Amino acid sequence: MTKATSLQDPFPPQQAYLAIEQQPASAAEKRALLVVRRHVQAHTHTTDLRELAGAVKKLLGADYVVGCGTAHIWVLRAGEQQRLAIVADRLTTAYRDWFEPPLEAVTGTSRTPRRRLPVSGTPLAPDLGEA
């Protein structure tokens, strides 16, 4: 890698994903979060996840507070303190959707556990289809 390349692209590639950490409060919120999830999935490979923050804010509207840290985007319902959802890098984090069971204790030296693939026939989500 040349010095010029590292200055132009200071962040390593990231694989964006959306974890919905609270159950949607309404059908409208569920639809909005699914739209955000589709947008994030369409932009999974990016060098700076913060670039997606504007689109997330626009897709969710004024009823949500959207902010970002150095490598993630967080979403709150307006007036609430608990995070509703987070956009993060799949390569370095393991946030879970509200309906997923907690991760089991991880052995070994990895500090970032990976998601397990579902057993064949196991649904990925309770009725999170297109609404």
Side-chain angles (χ1 to χ4, degrees), residues 3-4 8 18-19 22 34 37 41-42 61 74-75 78 104 115 123-124:
K3 190 173 186 177
Q8 291 173 355
L18 174 73
Q22 293 186 47
L34 288 173
R37 178 168 275 164
Q41 288 172 338
W74 49 262
V75 178
E104 296 173 3
R115 292 180 184 215
L124 292 176

Side-chain angles (χ1 to χ4, degrees), residues 1-10:
M1 180 184 318
T2 66
K3 190 173 186 177
T5 302
S6 64
L7 292 176
Q8 291 173 355
D9 189 8

Side-chain angles (χ1 to χ4, degrees), residues 34-99:
L34 288 173
V35 168
V36 171
R37 178 168 275 164
R38 281 194 302 268
H39 181 78
V40 169
Q41 288 172 338
H43 298 87
T44 56
H45 297 289
T46 182
T47 55
D48 189 350
L49 293 179
R50 297 173 294 181
E51 294 173 3
L52 297 173
V56 170
K57 176 68 175 165
K58 185 176 180 179
L59 291 168
L60 289 174
D63 293 335
Y64 299 89
V65 178
V66 176
C68 54
T70 56
H72 67 283
I73 301 165
W74 49 262
V75 178
L76 305 174
R77 293 180 183 115
E80 292 191 10
Q81 298 296 314
Q82 186 176 358
R83 190 171 60 214
L84 171 63
I86 187 164
V87 176
D89 175 22
R90 188 173 305 284
L91 299 174
T92 58
T93 65
Y95 293 103
R96 317 244 330 134
D97 283 333
W98 62 272
F99 57 83

